[in-house]
Amino acid sequence: MTHVTSQVLGTVNAPYSANLSACQLADVISDVGAAQSAVGPAFSFFSEVPTDLQTAFVAEMGLTQDKVQGVAKHFQSLCPFPLALAS
């Protein structure tokens, strides 16, 4: 596990007592339907992980920016503060 992945997973899993793997997190941040199964960690990725780590994780997992942005925009519509990857 890379340093980026370790930091991201620690940030999104700990507050929710979740145990998502890197692949599971990649799924929930790139598919709105999948995000519904892990709302806490998915929202945490977009709101609590620093933007540079978000970008590095997305690249490391080989995710398309369009899919990730679609999920970020979904969460943006539900919260009052800006989410970096939603724009």
Side-chain angles (χ1 to χ4, degrees), residues 43 46-47 72-83 86:
F43 181 70
F46 294 110
S47 63
K73 284 181 177 184
H74 168 73
F75 283 115
Q76 182 64 76
S77 72
L78 303 171
C79 75
F81 52 87
L83 302 175

Side-chain angles (χ1 to χ4, degrees), residues 1 5 8-9 12-13 18-28 41 57 61:
M1 181 180 317
T5 298
V8 169
L9 291 178
V12 303
N13 280 328
N19 194 25
L20 294 178
S21 69
C23 290
Q24 289 170 318
L25 180 61
D27 286 342
V28 300
F57 183 79
M61 298 305 293

